[in-house]
Amino acid sequence: QVRLVESGGGLAQPGGSLRLSCAASGIIVSIYAMNWYRQSPGKQRELVAGLHPSGNIHYADSVKGRFTISRDDNKNMVYLQMSGLKPEDMGKYYCNAWTSREDYWGQGTQVTVSS
């Protein structure tokens, strides 16, 4: 059984930082495209950052220079380091593991940015 469990969300002040974690079981994260998506109120779920098995990384323009996605193969975990947080970064963040045949999602972790 595949499980993706996100953690690390919470309340941060504008300009602050949070580190999201995604603990994976039932899959090996290094062979999946591991992605972080964000669902903000009234908006469609959007891809924030993606890490391909090759090591290629993609960031949404809105988070470039502020967010960093990384992977720890020994721990089978994926992270999203978020810095310089803005109110528009608020939302529920989901970890996603994808191949052309498989698509797994976690339950999400809420990020609130407010002073």
Side-chain angles (χ1 to χ4, degrees), residues 85-103:
L85 283 164
K86 304 176 180 180
E88 51 263 43
D89 294 321
M90 278 199 299
K92 198 162 189 179
Y93 284 71
Y94 296 88
C95 180
N96 166 252
W98 183 89
T99 70
S100 60
R101 294 178 295 175
E102 298 169 88
D103 192 15

Side-chain angles (χ1 to χ4, degrees), residues 60-112:
D61 288 342
S62 60
V63 307
K64 281 181 182 176
R66 300 187 298 120
F67 289 12
T68 303
I69 188 171
S70 62
R71 192 181 72 209
D72 187 327
D73 293 345
N74 290 327
K75 295 182 178 179
N76 211 39
M77 292 188 66
V78 179
Y79 304 96
L80 185 68
Q81 178 68 48
M82 305 187 296
S83 303
L85 283 164
K86 304 176 180 180
E88 51 263 43
D89 294 321
M90 278 199 299
K92 198 162 189 179
Y93 284 71
Y94 296 88
C95 180
N96 166 252
W98 183 89
T99 70
S100 60
R101 294 178 295 175
E102 298 169 88
D103 192 15
Y104 302 109
W105 293 85
Q107 293 300 305
T109 184
Q110 182 67 38
V111 170
T112 301

Side-chain angles (χ1 to χ4, degrees), residues 5-82:
V5 180
E6 302 95 336
S7 61
L11 174 65
Q13 292 187 339
S17 299
L18 286 173
R19 186 196 194 206
L20 305 184
S21 299
C22 173
S25 57
I27 62 168
I28 299 172
V29 296
S30 60
I31 64 173
Y32 285 73
M34 298 301 300
N35 306 301
W36 285 97
Y37 282 79
R38 174 171 69 201
Q39 178 87 60
S40 302
K43 296 184 178 180
Q44 288 188 330
R45 190 175 293 188
E46 61 174 336
L47 176 63
V48 173
L51 176 54
H52 191 267
S54 67
N56 287 341
I57 292 175
H58 165 81
Y59 294 105
D61 288 342
S62 60
V63 307
K64 281 181 182 176
R66 300 187 298 120
F67 289 12
T68 303
I69 188 171
S70 62
R71 192 181 72 209
D72 187 327
D73 293 345
N74 290 327
K75 295 182 178 179
N76 211 39
M77 292 188 66
V78 179
Y79 304 96
L80 185 68
Q81 178 68 48
M82 305 187 296

